Amino acid sequence: MTAGSDGLSPFKAMKLRRHPALEFWYDAKARAILLQSAFVVAFVALAIFAFIDVRANMEARGIATDLSFLGKVAGFDINQSLIPYSAASTYGRAFVVGLLNTLLVAAVSLALATVLGFIVGFARLSKNWIVGQTAMAYVEAIRNVPLLLQLLFWYNAVLKPLPSPKQSLPLPFGMFLNNRGLFAPAPVFEAGAVWLVAALCVSLLAAVAMRLTPKRIKFATPSRAFFSGVAAALLLVLPLAAFVGAGTPVAFVQPELKGFNFVGGVRLLPEFVALVLGLSLYTAAFIAEIVRAGVEAVPRGQREAAAAIGLDRADADRLVIAPQAMRLIVPLLTSQYLNLIKNSSLAVFIGYPDLVQVFAGTVLNQTGAAVQVIFITMAVYLAISLVASLAMNLYGRRFALVER
Amino acid sequence: MFKMNVVRTLFALGLMIGCAQGAQASLLDQVQKRGFLICGSNPGVPGFGLPDDKGGWTGFDVDFCRAVAAAIFNDPTKVKFIALSAKDRFTALQSGEVDLLSRNTTWTLSRETGQGFLFAGISYYDGQGFLVRKKLNLSSALELSGASICVQQGTTTELNLADFFRGNNMKYEPVNFANAEEAVRAYEGGRCDAYTTDASGLYVERQRLTDPEDSVVLPEIISKEPLGPAVRQGDDEWFNLVKWTLYALVNAEELGVNAKNVDEKAKSDRPEVRRLLGFEGNFGEGLGLGADWAYRIVKHVGNYGEIFDRNLGEGSPLKIKRGINALWTKGGLQYAPPIR
Ligand SMILES: N[C@@H](CCC(=O)N[C@@H](CS)C(=O)NCC(=O)O)C(=O)O
């Protein structure tokens, strides 16, 4: 029988002639598994081939292909480091310095962007016309100017025109502001400070314990006031008492002008401040829109229903509107957080020593290990993003619909 | 910027896959077939490398690329320039994006053994210095302890800076920027007390300040910066071509051959001149070029001295003295092996 002779299309004819040994091919699932494994094998083989080949070619040109450069002496300095670092440290340590600087700037900007974003988001929902319009103007202005321009603005137009160290602006609490940054007194802990630390620990544990106490007990009418009293005592009075009792064991080192710059105290680099300002103001505008959309997406009927069962406005917001809005807000928030983390690499343009500037910039250049450095950098950003989304997903679960 | 690096690295990876040694045509063949040279040069250091508004390039390092193009094509305009900041230059050369890197790049051991390059020689002997504001009243770099210093990352400059302060037991704050322009802007804005780079770069950047008279270059030179053109390892023919282009320029100056008199010199009886210009022997052949390779170079771009003069020296706004870059016969260090 030739295909098509009986009036069937060749395709159908073939189908009629399935060979029993090829039976699995007609099972969609088996076929998928087979094709996908074939693809994976081919891909891995190609990757291995490419890897071996690239390595041979790089080695032939005298370019290092391994990670041993991480153990070599870096020879350059970095002006902000959360761990001890000097020019005599290794490239590996420079990598950690850059990574921590990225995490620091991302964490601070994230927190500020969230707080500001929620405030502006609520302001946009406000019934007060001026408040609402101001919030809208902010959102529109910020969202429509490229972030890089905003960073350059903060850095070049706002921070650099500040006075030189000799003409620093004095601020409250012994702080100073000049074109080298913000200088503040640094706390130094004396021996008695253990008591303070201990008191803080106790307070913290108590806070956790109270948080875990079932609502049933906490909000029973007679214990409500009692609980607040205990909470206040534990969280405020205890550490304060310890502080005074141990003879105020914390001293402050004042920043002092010596030669070219201030020494002593803690210092925020202008590059750090510009980056935090730029990133958090920018992201806050997007977060504000997300918050507004999330709240507006909760059907009106929900508020009416809450009122119908006798909840006052605050309780309705807290118990009915917020959980439903958050269910929408959290996933969108996650993507803003991820954007912020990635945007932090714009640091290179204003000289803040983040991972990209230190590692993918200086280290790459001084070692020539371009391939290794770029892959490590990409892997790190991927890992940070994955951890951030995982954390947000876990947090988002609290607002998931629970079927009962 | 990070994205650019990612692209360059992936590009490098792509090139390195499958380009088994020998299997590929020599770089000279590729350049000839392409019809023009691709040269990595400076994004904006007047005198050394600078694109103008019309995309035309001028400068000392730029003219070196033109000399190579003249030797190959008998036409100094057959060059495509790519602007490379200090930070991007090595990835660009490694990846094959450029045939040749000619942009004040210091010859160091690790750049040859670790990064896979070869330096074709020293076209400019330089050293690192400091630019400071006059009103600080400093007379020596040793008074810079505690200062904030703007510097370009990915350079020998930031390493020398660290060495200098460590060696002299002084403290400082480095403020690192990806481009010279940003570093200078930060210095000018008061973020830093000093700006540091190769002395040649300091002259240039000082001229570009809003008020050059407000800043001075400190007397100390804290390092050796032998600047020269670099190529990838693995193609000896190309390496020789670039190297001998530089030597031809220097030899031409030594022999008194320049763009104006090169045709007249063709009648010269001096054997060295006759060999240089291709009337005796065929030295271009060994480089994969014609006998008149050096004649073309001098005819189109002049000799080393002329290039120096018009871009950096008396014929330029920079007025940099020849100093150690004078010929060895005039008390300097410029010395080229003989063409024979
Ligand atoms: N010679 C040093 C530094 C070379 C360098 O990059 N110099 C600066 C200042 S002269 C420059 O050319 N900058 C131009 C730019 O990258 O924007 C090295 O090779 O590492």
Side-chain angles (χ1 to χ4, degrees):
Chain A
M1 182 171 82
T2 54
S5 64
D6 56 352
L8 292 173
S9 72
F11 188 70
K12 279 196 178 142
M14 265 164 59
K15 207 162 175 189
L16 288 176
R17 282 188 300 155
R18 300 176 171 199
H19 192 284
L22 291 175
E23 197 58 37
F24 69 91
W25 190 249
Y26 301 98
D27 176 351
K29 206 164 162 192
R31 197 169 55 213
I33 291 175
L34 190 82
L35 283 177
Q36 281 173 27
S37 349
F39 179 76
V40 168
V41 169
F43 185 79
V44 169
L46 199 71
I48 291 175
F49 168 75
F51 178 77
I52 293 172
D53 200 42
V54 166
R55 229 176 114 119
N57 280 307
M58 282 168 71
E59 267 161 13
R61 289 185 190 167
I63 305 168
T65 52
D66 56 7
L67 295 177
S68 61
F69 69 93
L70 290 172
K72 296 194 180 132
V73 173
F76 59 90
D77 286 295
I78 306 175
N79 59 345
Q80 177 187 300
S81 176
L82 296 175
I83 54 172
Y85 173 89
S86 78
S89 306
T90 61
Y91 286 119
R93 203 166 176 92
F95 162 77
V96 179
V97 170
L99 175 60
L100 291 176
N101 284 346
T102 286
L103 292 176
L104 177 72
V105 84
V108 173
S109 310
L110 247 155
L112 288 178
T114 309
V115 173
L116 186 65
F118 271 79
I119 292 174
V120 176
F122 291 138
R124 282 217 61 184
L125 293 165
S126 159
K127 293 211 174 63
N128 181 321
W129 189 83
I130 295 181
V131 173
Q133 290 302 303
T134 313
M136 189 172 92
Y138 167 82
V139 168
E140 292 307 326
I142 294 275
R143 279 203 312 180
N144 291 309
V145 179
L147 175 56
L148 181 57
L149 286 185
Q150 297 189 33
L151 287 177
L152 293 175
F153 169 77
W154 289 113
Y155 188 55
N156 290 311
V158 177
L159 292 167
K160 256 196 249 142
L162 285 172
S164 69
K166 289 204 175 64
Q167 277 104 40
S168 299
L169 299 173
L171 298 178
F173 306 112
M175 298 197 292
F176 292 96
L177 188 65
N178 58 44
N179 58 13
R180 305 293 158 83
L182 177 69
F183 297 78
V188 190
F189 298 98
E190 288 151 18
V194 278
W195 292 108
L196 184 63
V197 176
L200 282 173
C201 287
V202 171
S203 304
L204 212 68
L205 285 175
V208 172
M210 282 191 305
R211 172 98 217 167
L212 295 176
T213 315
K215 291 207 174 83
R216 187 162 40 78
I217 303 175
K218 225 177 346 189
F219 293 123
T221 329
S223 61
R224 200 169 187 168
F226 170 74
F227 244 90
S228 319
V230 174
L234 277 173
L235 292 178
L236 282 172
V237 181
L238 186 64
L240 211 63
F243 183 68
V244 176
T248 54
V250 182
F252 284 92
V253 177
Q254 302 291 335
E256 260 180 283
L257 183 60
K258 264 201 198 133
F260 295 98
N261 277 315
F262 275 86
V263 288
V266 284
R267 169 184 183 195
L268 294 183
L269 297 180
E271 292 79 29
F272 176 82
V273 177
L275 195 55
V276 166
L277 274 174
L279 285 175
S280 48
L281 291 177
Y282 182 76
T283 314
F286 290 89
I287 293 179
E289 282 302 275
I290 291 171
V291 169
R292 181 182 67 103
V295 173
E296 283 183 345
V298 179
R300 257 177 221 295
Q302 292 288 326
R303 185 171 294 284
E304 287 155 14
I309 58 171
L311 292 177
D312 62 22
R313 218 192 134 80
D315 276 345
D317 279 341
R318 193 168 56 84
L319 299 171
V320 179
I321 308 297
Q324 297 186 72
M326 284 303 274
R327 196 158 62 231
L328 285 159
I329 291 172
V330 170
L332 295 172
L333 211 51
T334 310
S335 70
Q336 286 308 319
Y337 286 178
L338 300 187
N339 280 344
L340 187 149
I341 291 166
K342 279 178 276 180
N343 285 339
S344 73
S345 67
L346 289 174
V348 278
F349 290 97
I350 55 167
Y352 174 76
D354 80 325
L355 181 67
V356 170
Q357 207 242 26
V358 171
F359 193 60
T362 302
V363 174
L364 183 154
N365 240 276
Q366 301 294 5
T367 61
V371 175
Q372 298 95 308
V373 167
I374 294 294
F375 273 101
I376 293 176
T377 309
M378 293 202 296
V380 166
Y381 274 92
L382 185 66
I384 298 177
S385 294
L386 285 178
V387 169
S389 3
L390 191 73
M392 288 301 282
N393 284 345
L394 286 177
Y395 179 66
R397 271 199 204 159
R398 296 176 41 166
F399 307 107
L401 276 179
V402 189
E403 310 267 343
R404 279 184 234 249
Chain B
M1 196 151 287
F2 177 59
K3 272 190 203 129
M4 198 57 211
N5 259 334
V6 171
V7 171
R8 287 216 164 95
T9 304
L10 293 181
F11 189 63
L13 267 178
L15 278 181
M16 288 190 181
I17 295 175
C19 77
Q21 289 79 45
Q24 240 186 2
S26 78
L27 189 48
L28 178 58
D29 285 348
Q30 289 177 46
V31 171
Q32 275 168 336
K33 210 169 287 160
R34 191 198 295 136
F36 58 91
L37 174 76
I38 304 179
C39 210
S41 201
N42 221 299
V45 178
F48 284 89
L50 183 74
D52 63 22
D53 335 329
K54 292 175 225 80
W57 286 69
T58 50
F60 179 81
D61 290 330
V62 164
D63 277 349
F64 181 76
C65 299
R66 297 208 189 282
V68 175
I72 301 174
F73 299 108
N74 198 16
D75 182 352
T77 63
K78 292 248 165 26
V79 194
K80 183 181 165 204
F81 288 99
I82 301 214
L84 294 173
S85 75
K87 191 169 147 268
D88 296 333
R89 60 188 155 168
F90 296 129
T91 330
L93 183 59
Q94 265 184 358
S95 68
E97 192 181 338
V98 295
D99 303 320
L100 165 66
L101 182 69
S102 179
R103 84 170 278 301
N104 35 13
T105 295
T106 304
W107 182 354
T108 69
L109 185 143
S110 68
R111 286 176 178 174
E112 294 204 322
T113 60
Q115 310 227 28
F117 304 139
L118 288 173
F119 282 82
I122 301 170
S123 57
Y124 189 99
Y125 289 87
D126 209 343
Q128 184 177 338
F130 294 94
L131 186 74
V132 296
R133 261 175 285 278
K134 244 185 210 155
K135 64 166 193 262
L136 289 176
N137 263 326
L138 300 178
S139 56
S140 157
L142 292 167
E143 296 164 12
L144 281 173
S145 190
S148 297
I149 300 183
C150 284
V151 59
Q152 197 179 352
Q153 65 172 148
T155 55
T156 46
T157 319
E158 60 177 341
L159 305 179
N160 298 326
L161 181 65
D163 282 359
F164 177 74
F165 279 84
R166 194 148 54 116
N168 287 301
N169 237 322
M170 308 194 307
K171 282 204 165 55
Y172 75 110
E173 182 208 9
V175 190
N176 289 299
F177 292 89
N179 297 309
E181 201 192 325
E182 287 153 14
V184 175
R185 207 192 304 145
Y187 162 76
E188 221 178 351
R191 175 65 182 86
C192 298
D193 301 297
Y195 167 68
T196 184
T197 188
D198 301 342
S200 58
L202 289 184
Y203 296 125
V204 175
E205 299 299 353
R206 181 165 173 270
Q207 302 269 309
R208 292 211 286 181
L209 296 177
T210 333
D211 206 342
E213 294 309 312
D214 280 354
S215 292
V216 283
V217 176
L218 292 177
E220 282 88 352
I221 293 292
I222 65 166
S223 71
K224 290 190 286 187
E225 306 291 327
L227 312 179
V231 298
R232 277 185 299 287
Q233 281 179 21
D235 191 330
D236 294 354
E237 183 191 37
W238 183 250
F239 175 52
N240 277 335
L241 191 158
V242 174
K243 184 167 62 182
W244 283 96
T245 299
L246 178 59
Y247 292 154
L249 290 168
V250 175
N251 276 321
E253 184 184 7
E254 195 183 326
L255 296 171
V257 182
N258 58 39
K260 274 177 244 99
N261 69 12
V262 63
D263 286 311
E264 211 176 295
K265 287 276 176 185
K267 295 180 216 114
S268 166
D269 303 327
R270 276 184 75 181
E272 295 101 314
V273 174
R274 295 182 62 76
R275 278 197 300 272
L276 173 77
L277 299 180
F279 296 110
E280 244 176 68
N282 184 356
F283 295 96
E285 195 177 23
L287 299 170
L289 302 171
D292 62 344
W293 65 286
Y295 168 84
R296 296 169 165 191
I297 296 175
V298 180
K299 174 89 189 154
H300 292 297
V301 282
N303 64 34
Y304 179 86
E306 291 178 281
I307 296 179
F308 193 103
D309 235 52
R310 107 177 133 243
N311 292 301
L312 307 169
E314 286 309 315
S316 80
L318 291 167
K319 309 255 182 283
I320 298 178
K321 298 257 172 313
R322 279 292 286 270
I324 50 173
N325 287 299
L327 291 179
W328 66 288
T329 50
K330 297 192 176 145
L333 293 173
Q334 285 299 348
Y335 179 108
I339 293 173
R340 71 179 318 139

PDB file of all heavy atoms in Angstrom, chain B residues 136-153:
ATOM      1  N   LEU B 136      45.850  75.240  47.823  1.00  0.00           N
ATOM      2  CA  LEU B 136      46.264  74.351  48.905  1.00  0.00           C
ATOM      3  C   LEU B 136      47.721  74.612  49.290  1.00  0.00           C
ATOM      4  O   LEU B 136      48.194  74.153  50.329  1.00  0.00           O
ATOM      5  CB  LEU B 136      46.118  72.886  48.485  1.00  0.00           C
ATOM      6  CG  LEU B 136      44.697  72.334  48.361  1.00  0.00           C
ATOM      7  CD1 LEU B 136      44.746  70.907  47.846  1.00  0.00           C
ATOM      8  CD2 LEU B 136      43.977  72.380  49.708  1.00  0.00           C
ATOM      9  N   ASN B 137      48.440  75.311  48.411  1.00  0.00           N
ATOM     10  CA  ASN B 137      49.835  75.652  48.695  1.00  0.00           C
ATOM     11  C   ASN B 137      50.725  74.450  48.958  1.00  0.00           C
ATOM     12  O   ASN B 137      51.525  74.459  49.881  1.00  0.00           O
ATOM     13  CB  ASN B 137      49.895  76.581  49.908  1.00  0.00           C
ATOM     14  CG  ASN B 137      49.981  78.012  49.456  1.00  0.00           C
ATOM     15  OD1 ASN B 137      50.599  78.289  48.424  1.00  0.00           O
ATOM     16  ND2 ASN B 137      49.354  78.904  50.191  1.00  0.00           N
ATOM     17  N   LEU B 138      50.588  73.435  48.152  1.00  0.00           N
ATOM     18  CA  LEU B 138      51.422  72.250  48.338  1.00  0.00           C
ATOM     19  C   LEU B 138      52.652  72.371  47.456  1.00  0.00           C
ATOM     20  O   LEU B 138      52.598  72.928  46.361  1.00  0.00           O
ATOM     21  CB  LEU B 138      50.655  70.997  47.938  1.00  0.00           C
ATOM     22  CG  LEU B 138      49.372  70.703  48.715  1.00  0.00           C
ATOM     23  CD1 LEU B 138      48.709  69.455  48.170  1.00  0.00           C
ATOM     24  CD2 LEU B 138      49.676  70.522  50.190  1.00  0.00           C
ATOM     25  N   SER B 139      53.776  71.829  47.958  1.00  0.00           N
ATOM     26  CA  SER B 139      54.965  71.864  47.112  1.00  0.00           C
ATOM     27  C   SER B 139      55.434  70.463  46.789  1.00  0.00           C
ATOM     28  O   SER B 139      56.329  70.271  45.983  1.00  0.00           O
ATOM     29  CB  SER B 139      56.070  72.654  47.805  1.00  0.00           C
ATOM     30  OG  SER B 139      56.327  72.084  49.074  1.00  0.00           O
ATOM     31  N   SER B 140      54.818  69.443  47.437  1.00  0.00           N
ATOM     32  CA  SER B 140      55.278  68.078  47.189  1.00  0.00           C
ATOM     33  C   SER B 140      54.118  67.103  47.378  1.00  0.00           C
ATOM     34  O   SER B 140      53.218  67.327  48.180  1.00  0.00           O
ATOM     35  CB  SER B 140      56.394  67.736  48.177  1.00  0.00           C
ATOM     36  OG  SER B 140      56.493  66.343  48.337  1.00  0.00           O
ATOM     37  N   ALA B 141      54.170  66.018  46.647  1.00  0.00           N
ATOM     38  CA  ALA B 141      53.147  64.979  46.778  1.00  0.00           C
ATOM     39  C   ALA B 141      53.207  64.334  48.157  1.00  0.00           C
ATOM     40  O   ALA B 141      52.247  63.705  48.608  1.00  0.00           O
ATOM     41  CB  ALA B 141      53.319  63.922  45.694  1.00  0.00           C
ATOM     42  N   LEU B 142      54.346  64.493  48.831  1.00  0.00           N
ATOM     43  CA  LEU B 142      54.470  63.896  50.159  1.00  0.00           C
ATOM     44  C   LEU B 142      53.622  64.633  51.195  1.00  0.00           C
ATOM     45  O   LEU B 142      53.482  64.188  52.324  1.00  0.00           O
ATOM     46  CB  LEU B 142      55.938  63.894  50.596  1.00  0.00           C
ATOM     47  CG  LEU B 142      56.812  62.938  49.765  1.00  0.00           C
ATOM     48  CD1 LEU B 142      58.276  63.195  49.999  1.00  0.00           C
ATOM     49  CD2 LEU B 142      56.456  61.481  50.086  1.00  0.00           C
ATOM     50  N   GLU B 143      53.066  65.775  50.791  1.00  0.00           N
ATOM     51  CA  GLU B 143      52.189  66.503  51.713  1.00  0.00           C
ATOM     52  C   GLU B 143      50.727  66.131  51.518  1.00  0.00           C
ATOM     53  O   GLU B 143      49.840  66.769  52.076  1.00  0.00           O
ATOM     54  CB  GLU B 143      52.348  68.012  51.487  1.00  0.00           C
ATOM     55  CG  GLU B 143      53.739  68.530  51.810  1.00  0.00           C
ATOM     56  CD  GLU B 143      54.007  69.916  51.222  1.00  0.00           C
ATOM     57  OE1 GLU B 143      53.043  70.564  50.765  1.00  0.00           O
ATOM     58  OE2 GLU B 143      55.180  70.326  51.226  1.00  0.00           O
ATOM     59  N   LEU B 144      50.479  65.089  50.756  1.00  0.00           N
ATOM     60  CA  LEU B 144      49.090  64.739  50.429  1.00  0.00           C
ATOM     61  C   LEU B 144      48.430  63.798  51.435  1.00  0.00           C
ATOM     62  O   LEU B 144      47.324  63.318  51.199  1.00  0.00           O
ATOM     63  CB  LEU B 144      49.016  64.108  49.036  1.00  0.00           C
ATOM     64  CG  LEU B 144      49.060  65.064  47.841  1.00  0.00           C
ATOM     65  CD1 LEU B 144      49.161  64.285  46.546  1.00  0.00           C
ATOM     66  CD2 LEU B 144      47.817  65.944  47.832  1.00  0.00           C
ATOM     67  N   SER B 145      49.099  63.508  52.545  1.00  0.00           N
ATOM     68  CA  SER B 145      48.522  62.554  53.495  1.00  0.00           C
ATOM     69  C   SER B 145      47.128  62.983  53.942  1.00  0.00           C
ATOM     70  O   SER B 145      46.924  64.126  54.329  1.00  0.00           O
ATOM     71  CB  SER B 145      49.433  62.400  54.716  1.00  0.00           C
ATOM     72  OG  SER B 145      48.965  61.318  55.491  1.00  0.00           O
ATOM     73  N   GLY B 146      46.180  62.067  53.866  1.00  0.00           N
ATOM     74  CA  GLY B 146      44.810  62.348  54.284  1.00  0.00           C
ATOM     75  C   GLY B 146      43.939  62.893  53.173  1.00  0.00           C
ATOM     76  O   GLY B 146      42.745  63.111  53.360  1.00  0.00           O
ATOM     77  N   ALA B 147      44.511  63.099  51.994  1.00  0.00           N
ATOM     78  CA  ALA B 147      43.759  63.728  50.901  1.00  0.00           C
ATOM     79  C   ALA B 147      42.807  62.746  50.222  1.00  0.00           C
ATOM     80  O   ALA B 147      42.980  61.535  50.296  1.00  0.00           O
ATOM     81  CB  ALA B 147      44.726  64.280  49.872  1.00  0.00           C
ATOM     82  N   SER B 148      41.782  63.293  49.569  1.00  0.00           N
ATOM     83  CA  SER B 148      40.919  62.513  48.692  1.00  0.00           C
ATOM     84  C   SER B 148      41.457  62.689  47.275  1.00  0.00           C
ATOM     85  O   SER B 148      41.702  63.811  46.852  1.00  0.00           O
ATOM     86  CB  SER B 148      39.478  63.020  48.745  1.00  0.00           C
ATOM     87  OG  SER B 148      38.971  62.866  50.044  1.00  0.00           O
ATOM     88  N   ILE B 149      41.613  61.563  46.563  1.00  0.00           N
ATOM     89  CA  ILE B 149      42.254  61.642  45.251  1.00  0.00           C
ATOM     90  C   ILE B 149      41.397  60.967  44.183  1.00  0.00           C
ATOM     91  O   ILE B 149      41.015  59.796  44.328  1.00  0.00           O
ATOM     92  CB  ILE B 149      43.653  60.998  45.310  1.00  0.00           C
ATOM     93  CG1 ILE B 149      44.484  61.765  46.342  1.00  0.00           C
ATOM     94  CG2 ILE B 149      44.307  61.022  43.932  1.00  0.00           C
ATOM     95  CD1 ILE B 149      45.880  61.316  46.481  1.00  0.00           C
ATOM     96  N   CYS B 150      41.056  61.715  43.149  1.00  0.00           N
ATOM     97  CA  CYS B 150      40.251  61.164  42.056  1.00  0.00           C
ATOM     98  C   CYS B 150      41.151  60.433  41.073  1.00  0.00           C
ATOM     99  O   CYS B 150      42.211  60.931  40.703  1.00  0.00           O
ATOM    100  CB  CYS B 150      39.507  62.283  41.329  1.00  0.00           C
ATOM    101  SG  CYS B 150      38.078  62.887  42.244  1.00  0.00           S
ATOM    102  N   VAL B 151      40.698  59.255  40.659  1.00  0.00           N
ATOM    103  CA  VAL B 151      41.534  58.412  39.810  1.00  0.00           C
ATOM    104  C   VAL B 151      40.646  57.569  38.900  1.00  0.00           C
ATOM    105  O   VAL B 151      39.477  57.310  39.211  1.00  0.00           O
ATOM    106  CB  VAL B 151      42.456  57.537  40.707  1.00  0.00           C
ATOM    107  CG1 VAL B 151      41.667  56.660  41.641  1.00  0.00           C
ATOM    108  CG2 VAL B 151      43.392  56.682  39.880  1.00  0.00           C
ATOM    109  N   GLN B 152      41.223  57.178  37.765  1.00  0.00           N
ATOM    110  CA  GLN B 152      40.453  56.365  36.825  1.00  0.00           C
ATOM    111  C   GLN B 152      40.714  54.889  37.106  1.00  0.00           C
ATOM    112  O   GLN B 152      41.861  54.476  37.267  1.00  0.00           O
ATOM    113  CB  GLN B 152      40.902  56.723  35.407  1.00  0.00           C
ATOM    114  CG  GLN B 152      39.927  56.282  34.375  1.00  0.00           C
ATOM    115  CD  GLN B 152      40.391  56.677  32.991  1.00  0.00           C
ATOM    116  OE1 GLN B 152      41.366  57.394  32.825  1.00  0.00           O
ATOM    117  NE2 GLN B 152      39.688  56.196  31.994  1.00  0.00           N
ATOM    118  N   GLN B 153      39.627  54.096  37.154  1.00  0.00           N
ATOM    119  CA  GLN B 153      39.801  52.693  37.524  1.00  0.00           C
ATOM    120  C   GLN B 153      40.301  51.849  36.353  1.00  0.00           C
ATOM    121  O   GLN B 153      40.186  52.240  35.195  1.00  0.00           O
ATOM    122  CB  GLN B 153      38.492  52.123  38.072  1.00  0.00           C
ATOM    123  CG  GLN B 153      37.394  52.076  37.051  1.00  0.00           C
ATOM    124  CD  GLN B 153      36.177  51.333  37.548  1.00  0.00           C
ATOM    125  OE1 GLN B 153      35.073  51.657  37.180  1.00  0.00           O
ATOM    126  NE2 GLN B 153      36.356  50.346  38.376  1.00  0.00           N
TER     127      GLN B 153
END
